[in-house]
Amino acid sequence: MKNNSSVCALPFSHVAVRTNGNFSLCCMAYNDSKMSYKNSSITEFWNSIYLRKVRILMRLGIKLSDCKVCYKEEKLGIKSHRLVENESWCKDNSKNDIQEIFKVSSLTGRVSKQAQSFDIRLGNNCNLECIMCQPQESSKWIDRGKKLIKHLNKGSLLYHQWNDRVKIDMNDYSWVTQENIWSEFMSLIPYIKTMVIGGGEPLLVKEHLDFIKKISSEQDVSHLIIRYHTNATLYLDDMIPSWNKFKKVEFFLSVDGKDRYARYIRYPSNWSVIEENLKRYDNLPENYEVRILYTVNNINVSHFSDFVEWLISMNFKKREKFTRLDEFLIIGFVHWPKYLSIVNLSLEKKEKAKEVIQVLIDKYDDLGVTNYKQIIDTLSNPLNEGELKNFDRFTDSLDKIRDIKKEELV
């Protein structure tokens, strides 16, 4: 596949909906469009001035500020969401050049076909307060954040950041309760090939579960792939009959470590519950695909090798669908907040982590683990001393208001 430094397949085939109902290019976009379910619809957004302009600029080879997260990852040696989606589009459409995507739109940026994939973040209702999240992503962080700022220096940037984050209007995140939204999705089902569903925690959202049951009973969904991003704390037996009717159901299970690492990073998760649910997901029928997503941060990077060893020892059956281990256990990276990025570890910890990861790669080379070299490449980037100090300030304050401390992660 030929590369283009600015183009991405998603604006020509995809719509993302943020937790607050705002429409966006994708889940990684730095900004959103200012259009949302408050003032518009997905159908109106699809050929809006904003989205047509994005397509035109990409055709001209101009990089967009909205896409800077992917550009940054690529500069760090990470295979970005943009590159992954471009490869996927070329493969699905039997193309060798991503610039073939321009043929689906006019010179004015209009695309006549409906969007074929959606990424829907169903509000911020969640049962966890993951360390890399904030109230916009998890309702649990509202109260915890208010407690946190009491332990931060009032003159610090961290204090002002968190003081702003806790001041959210929960009404902005209740859009999933609007019946007209689900009616629009119902009308789009014949055109949709893939629907990515996240949150918050999507398996907590009753409106979405009712929607899945409704479309699976009233429409033909045998062409439709659903992909869930879920924290593996929940397993819903009653949804199996409905999910069985879809072409495929994919579960990306966000697990960032085991035992105390799981609890510290995705607080207050219970590792025994997660481990049991992983076994249950592993026993789902053939049309279910399960992967584990490990989000690498400066707390769990040193734990990654231990987690891989545990995962291999479990002999999950769903892993057999993949020719490579790094396709079953996928890694992502925390870029924000910056103080949780592995870029901002001390030099001593970076060198130790790189050494451990390299040993892991050498040991399991035959299983297909070369993608994990991205961890080493990312660790090789220069740190920001200020963010390193912010990490200590943040975790020291957090440890005062939770029942687990980072010193316990040994």
Side-chain angles (χ1 to χ4, degrees):
M1 184 197 76
K2 294 181 180 179
N3 191 23
N4 177 307
S5 62
S6 64
V7 69
C8 177
L10 292 181
F12 299 84
S13 60
H14 175 86
V15 171
V17 185
R18 305 273 198 181
T19 55
N20 62 359
N22 284 9
F23 304 139
S24 178
L25 298 180
C26 76
C27 63
M28 300 293 288
Y30 188 74
N31 298 305
D32 56 43
S33 65
K34 310 307 178 188
M35 295 178 69
S36 74
Y37 272 121
K38 290 182 180 178
N39 55 31
S40 189
S41 67
I42 283 179
T43 304
E44 292 169 329
F45 173 67
W46 182 234
N47 277 307
S48 63
I49 293 174
Y50 167 81
L51 204 46
R52 296 204 312 269
K53 181 180 178 181
V54 166
R55 294 166 184 152
I56 291 170
L57 291 175
M58 285 189 173
R59 183 187 288 269
L60 295 174
I62 298 172
K63 290 188 174 182
L64 282 74
S65 61
D66 287 1
C67 303
K68 68 180 184 180
V69 174
C70 281
Y71 301 149
K72 179 181 178 180
E73 284 195 336
E74 291 159 21
K75 191 174 181 180
L76 292 173
I78 299 170
K79 190 172 185 179
S80 70
H81 188 50
R82 180 183 81 91
L83 296 180
V84 170
E85 292 298 334
N86 284 355
E87 281 188 6
S88 178
W89 185 87
C90 286
K91 181 179 178 181
D92 292 345
N93 293 276
S94 302
K95 305 293 183 183
N96 293 318
D97 189 346
I98 187 57
Q99 294 190 109
E100 292 283 324
I101 193 76
F102 297 135
K103 293 181 180 179
V104 308
S105 72
S106 68
L107 292 176
T108 62
R110 186 175 293 276
V111 175
S112 58
K113 291 184 177 180
Q114 291 284 357
Q116 296 182 338
S117 72
F118 292 86
D119 186 330
I120 311 160
R121 306 291 158 147
L122 299 171
N124 65 348
N125 184 21
C126 193
N127 57 349
L128 300 182
E129 46 193 70
C130 301
I131 197 168
M132 69 288 287
C133 286
Q134 60 175 319
Q136 287 181 332
E137 289 103 26
S138 170
S139 53
K140 287 289 185 182
W141 259 113
I142 298 174
D143 288 338
R144 184 70 63 182
K146 290 176 180 177
K147 293 175 182 177
L148 175 69
I149 60 177
K150 292 179 181 179
H151 296 274
L152 294 171
N153 186 326
K154 285 191 175 182
S156 69
L157 178 60
L158 271 179
Y159 174 86
H160 291 293
Q161 287 176 338
W162 275 98
N163 195 42
D164 287 340
R165 288 169 193 160
V166 297
K167 296 175 181 175
I168 67 169
D169 185 349
M170 282 299 291
N171 290 323
D172 291 339
Y173 300 85
S174 62
W175 58 271
V176 295
T177 63
Q178 299 176 30
E179 188 174 337
N180 64 300
I181 291 168
W182 299 107
S183 296
E184 182 180 33
F185 275 122
M186 183 77 85
S187 69
L188 294 172
I189 290 299
Y191 311 101
I192 303 174
K193 293 183 178 180
T194 305
M195 183 177 288
V196 181
I197 303 174
E201 172 46 56
L203 300 187
L204 287 174
V205 182
K206 181 181 181 299
E207 290 82 1
H208 140 255
L209 300 175
D210 290 342
F211 171 74
I212 293 297
K213 291 177 181 178
K214 184 177 177 64
I215 61 172
S216 64
S217 63
E218 296 182 3
Q219 295 197 41
D220 178 9
V221 292
S222 61
H223 65 289
L224 181 53
I225 297 172
I226 301 180
R227 180 188 305 158
Y228 285 98
H229 285 260
T230 174
N231 59 32
T233 62
L234 301 170
Y235 181 90
L236 305 181
D237 280 308
D238 66 310
M239 292 301 298
I240 303 299
S242 298
W243 284 331
N244 283 344
K245 297 179 181 179
F246 288 83
K247 179 178 181 179
K248 186 165 66 171
V249 180
E250 301 174 350
F251 287 100
F252 279 51
L253 304 175
S254 295
V255 184
D256 299 334
K258 61 189 185 73
D259 301 320
R260 291 181 177 182
Y261 280 89
R263 183 172 176 78
Y264 190 86
I265 295 170
R266 294 188 175 269
Y267 186 83
S269 61
N270 184 320
W271 174 245
S272 62
V273 171
I274 293 172
E275 190 172 27
E276 185 59 33
N277 281 341
L278 292 176
K279 296 174 184 176
R280 299 172 79 184
Y281 280 107
D282 192 48
N283 287 316
L284 284 168
E286 186 66 22
N287 71 315
Y288 291 80
E289 189 173 278
V290 177
R291 305 181 196 220
I292 295 174
L293 176 60
Y294 190 103
T295 304
V296 182
N297 56 66
N298 56 10
I299 294 169
N300 68 1
V301 63
S302 61
H303 175 63
F304 182 67
S305 292
D306 290 339
F307 186 81
V308 172
E309 295 281 3
W310 167 83
L311 186 70
I312 291 172
S313 73
M314 293 299 291
N315 293 314
F316 287 119
K317 296 186 292 293
K318 291 295 184 182
R319 184 184 141 199
E320 296 172 4
K321 280 195 171 185
F322 304 95
T323 57
R324 302 174 55 85
L325 178 62
D326 56 23
E327 293 175 341
F328 176 64
L329 174 60
I330 302 171
I331 57 170
F333 292 87
V334 172
H335 298 295
W336 186 97
K338 292 180 181 178
Y339 51 78
L340 289 178
S341 168
I342 61 173
V343 169
N344 296 315
L345 273 175
S346 69
L347 293 178
E348 180 183 355
K349 290 182 178 179
K350 281 186 175 184
E351 290 307 312
K352 184 177 180 180
K354 285 195 283 186
E355 182 180 336
V356 172
I357 299 297
Q358 188 60 58
V359 169
L360 175 78
I361 293 172
D362 293 342
K363 180 178 180 180
Y364 292 113
D365 179 62
D366 60 323
L367 297 183
V369 293
T370 53
N371 280 348
Y372 300 152
K373 190 178 181 299
Q374 293 180 72
I375 301 175
I376 296 175
D377 294 339
T378 304
L379 284 165
S380 300
N381 287 278
L383 69 88
N384 181 318
E385 292 283 356
E387 295 300 345
L388 181 59
K389 292 177 181 177
N390 280 337
F391 169 73
D392 288 331
R393 292 170 184 144
F394 173 74
T395 51
D396 288 347
S397 299
L398 191 63
D399 288 355
K400 293 175 182 177
I401 57 174
R402 302 198 314 185
D403 60 3
I404 186 171
K405 318 298 180 190
K406 65 175 181 286
E407 286 77 15
E408 299 176 37
L409 305 180
V410 293

